[in-house]
Amino acid sequence: VEFQHLNKPNISMLAYLIYLQTEVGLPVPGGESAQHAICDSLGPGSCNTTEFSQHLEETTIKTRKDCGSDTHDIIFIVDSSGSVGADGFDKIKVFLKKMVDYIWLDADTTSRIAIIVFSEDSSTIWNFGDFIDYATSRAALLQTIDNSAWMAAGTHTEKALDAALSI
């Protein structure tokens, strides 16, 4: 990934990580110990997934108001490494299914979704071109998310970011 790629929407998280590393001095995630270091450096409760889930509904209501019926291309990059844990990965799948319902509100939706799951390697489990029609695609995507297995291996975020560049 080069600097010129940072203006692409699917690389905005990479830009944020580079900012954290260069401006704030936080390490870029690269394994369980690095992820724990980020959480520890952000302070107690910063990586509390329960609190995040509690604010999900409030956030999505605001997103609906702000985004309206605009068209968006959204890529979810999902960590399936060992440090996430089986329960954590199940929570991620619940979150993704909620997001599908928030993004694809009805048959008039024009937003597109892609999902990349990564651990030692990355896999695009849903691509923008997989959309057929609202009813068929929604059911198929929810089933694809349900069928996603926790990979439980190392954390190679760079492979997921490279996959996002090719979408």
Side-chain angles (χ1 to χ4, degrees):
V1 177
E2 297 176 6
F3 182 77
Q4 66 198 21
H5 296 120
L6 296 179
N7 64 348
K8 294 183 179 181
N10 60 349
I11 303 299
S12 59
M13 186 60 183
L14 176 60
Y16 180 64
L17 290 173
I18 291 171
Y19 167 79
L20 287 177
Q21 183 180 27
T22 58
E23 300 298 321
V24 182
L26 295 175
V28 172
E32 186 174 354
S33 61
Q35 291 171 11
H36 286 293
I38 289 173
C39 288
D40 292 343
S41 66
L42 294 173
S46 295
C47 295
N48 183 340
T49 56
T50 303
E51 183 178 330
F52 176 80
S53 297
Q54 290 170 346
H55 294 291
L56 178 60
E57 186 173 344
E58 178 183 315
T59 303
T60 52
I61 289 169
K62 181 181 181 338
T63 302
R64 283 182 180 174
K65 288 178 183 175
D66 292 348
C67 296
S69 61
D70 293 344
T71 298
H72 304 280
D73 287 346
I74 302 167
I75 301 174
F76 292 98
I77 298 179
V78 179
D79 187 350
S80 182
S81 65
S83 61
V84 170
D87 289 341
F89 192 69
D90 286 342
K91 289 177 184 177
I92 290 170
K93 293 189 327 184
V94 168
F95 168 79
L96 287 172
K97 291 191 293 185
K98 286 182 181 180
M99 291 308 300
V100 168
D101 286 337
Y102 294 134
I103 295 165
W104 288 352
L105 296 174
D106 54 36
D108 295 327
T109 189
T110 56
S111 291
R112 301 185 307 166
I113 298 172
I115 301 175
I116 300 168
V117 179
F118 75 94
S119 183
E120 285 286 329
D121 206 357
S122 69
S123 174
T124 302
I125 63 169
W126 190 266
N127 210 328
F128 291 145
D130 293 336
F131 186 89
I132 298 167
D133 62 61
Y134 171 72
T136 305
S137 297
R138 181 182 174 281
L141 177 51
L142 294 176
Q143 188 63 52
T144 298
I145 292 169
D146 278 336
N147 293 341
S148 295
W150 174 49
M151 295 178 184
T155 307
H156 290 272
T157 311
E158 74 280 3
K159 292 183 179 181
L161 293 173
D162 285 340
L165 280 174
S166 67
I167 289 181

